[in-house]
Amino acid sequence: MNKTTIEYVLNPDGTPGYNWAIITGCLHPCSKLYCYNTMKASSSLNRFYKKNREKETRELHFAKPSEGLWPYGFDPTYYSYRLEEPMFKKKPATIFVANGGDLFGKWIPNEIINYVLTVIRDCPQHTFILLTKNYGRLYEFEFPDNCWVGFSRNYSAEIHMDGIKAKTKFVSFEPLHYGFSFDSRICENGQTDGYRRVALHGVSWIIIGAESGTRVNKIIPRRDWVMTLVKSAQDKGIPVWMKKNLAPEVFDKSELIQELPGR
Ligand code: SF4
């Protein structure tokens, strides 16, 4: 496993955590916007695009150790030979599962997801972060307590995660494209501080961020969209992670709140 640059993936000792590349590639539409271009900048995927682009089939592939990473471009690819990697690490670590892929994409069979969850269960010393765009599938599994299970959204909305069987559940509002705004009418009445609240049910952590990679600054979130989410979380005692890319356009660096859920 390699170290990750995802800023909130931090080991218990505060050092950067790891990416477990058990799956790469993804078929969600956002691949066209962000992942495809950002990941293409990595050398192995770039080599693929130079030589074998026609190999892409939009189906799940099974990689062999000799093929390295991204052997089928941005097609979903499963690396069964990496399954035991977290077990070799004895020191407690925080491990992001499949950056640049989606373990819960509808193209991944339940069997593979269950293999991954079994390894997670067998590594109670580590914390695993699972993030998907395919929210509905999270309801189909029972997650060990050493998982932080989340989905990403790029707008603020009422969130219900109560039915997901996991101890720590989070929403990544990233990249935030639109949201609830400052409501001056309520503010003038003196009833609230002027921010609408977004209902967060069964949520134990939220992450908020802006566009990154090749799309940096394409859409800059408004300060009141972010503050609506922050205040909604704070009202319920939910920790908040504001990503570095919200500064300096939207917030001063010193204003960023960076909290993690308990382990
Ligand atoms: S869901 Fe995640 S991994 Fe898939 S294309 Fe979008 S950003 Fe990339």
Side-chain angles (χ1 to χ4, degrees):
M1 288 185 298
N2 291 329
K3 290 267 182 187
T4 178
T5 53
I6 303 173
E7 64 188 64
Y8 55 79
V9 184
L10 295 171
N11 294 323
D13 65 5
T15 57
Y18 297 87
N19 174 45
W20 182 18
I22 188 72
I23 299 278
T24 58
C26 187
L27 301 176
H28 289 309
C30 47
S31 60
K32 300 274 183 307
L33 281 174
Y34 167 77
C35 249
Y36 193 80
N37 291 322
T38 302
M39 297 290 167
K40 210 163 61 173
S42 90
S43 55
S44 45
L45 186 56
N46 199 15
R47 263 200 306 280
F48 171 87
Y49 281 111
K50 281 194 180 132
K51 288 188 185 158
N52 317 293
R53 187 161 191 158
E54 69 284 358
K55 265 201 204 168
E56 273 186 341
T57 61
R58 296 185 64 79
E59 283 164 10
L60 177 66
H61 301 268
F62 295 80
K64 298 186 201 75
S66 57
E67 292 178 310
L69 269 183
W70 304 101
Y72 300 94
F74 218 75
D75 277 351
T77 303
Y78 172 53
Y79 302 79
S80 58
Y81 63 90
R82 293 175 176 263
L83 204 50
E84 292 180 355
E85 282 181 349
M87 295 179 173
F88 299 128
K89 206 162 271 309
K90 298 296 169 216
K91 192 173 169 189
T94 304
I95 299 169
F96 192 94
V97 181
N99 185 27
D102 191 338
L103 179 65
F104 297 94
K106 62 179 185 210
W107 48 88
I108 305 286
N110 278 7
E111 197 183 14
I112 291 181
I113 298 173
N114 282 322
Y115 289 153
V116 170
L117 293 180
T118 300
V119 172
I120 292 176
R121 226 170 257 119
D122 288 345
C123 292
Q125 74 274 30
H126 302 318
T127 302
F128 292 83
I129 302 184
L130 298 149
L131 178 64
T132 182
K133 273 242 161 45
N134 195 17
Y135 172 50
R137 209 161 175 205
L138 296 178
Y139 290 88
E140 296 171 23
F141 298 90
E142 199 153 327
F143 295 93
D145 284 353
N146 58 331
C147 283
W148 297 354
V149 178
F151 69 95
S152 49
R153 265 277 150 90
N154 52 17
Y155 57 95
S156 60
E158 190 161 326
I159 304 287
H160 294 267
M161 297 186 86
D162 311 81
I164 298 170
K165 296 184 207 78
K167 185 176 153 202
T168 303
K169 298 175 266 195
F170 70 96
V171 191
S172 174
F173 294 99
E174 187 199 3
L176 190 63
H177 282 178
Y178 55 98
F180 288 123
S181 299
F182 184 81
D183 188 335
S184 56
R185 182 179 50 78
I186 295 176
C187 188
E188 280 158 18
N189 289 345
Q191 290 170 352
T192 75
D193 55 14
Y195 290 93
R196 292 180 188 175
R197 296 304 198 261
V198 179
L200 301 169
H201 301 286
V203 177
S204 9
W205 186 36
I206 66 166
I207 299 164
I208 312 168
E211 292 274 14
S212 57
T214 53
R215 285 188 49 84
V216 73
N217 288 345
K218 287 250 167 43
I219 299 175
I220 298 176
R222 279 174 34 180
R223 191 180 168 96
D224 55 346
W225 301 345
V226 177
M227 286 312 296
T228 299
L229 287 169
V230 170
K231 285 178 179 291
S232 307
Q234 286 178 333
D235 276 358
K236 296 189 100 178
I238 298 171
V240 175
W241 187 282
M242 294 165 75
K243 288 190 76 174
K244 283 184 211 150
N245 61 16
L246 291 171
E249 283 80 10
V250 197
F251 289 87
D252 187 79
K253 212 170 152 198
S254 62
E255 293 178 289
L256 298 182
I257 301 165
Q258 297 194 322
E259 300 162 330
L260 294 169
R263 288 176 200 264

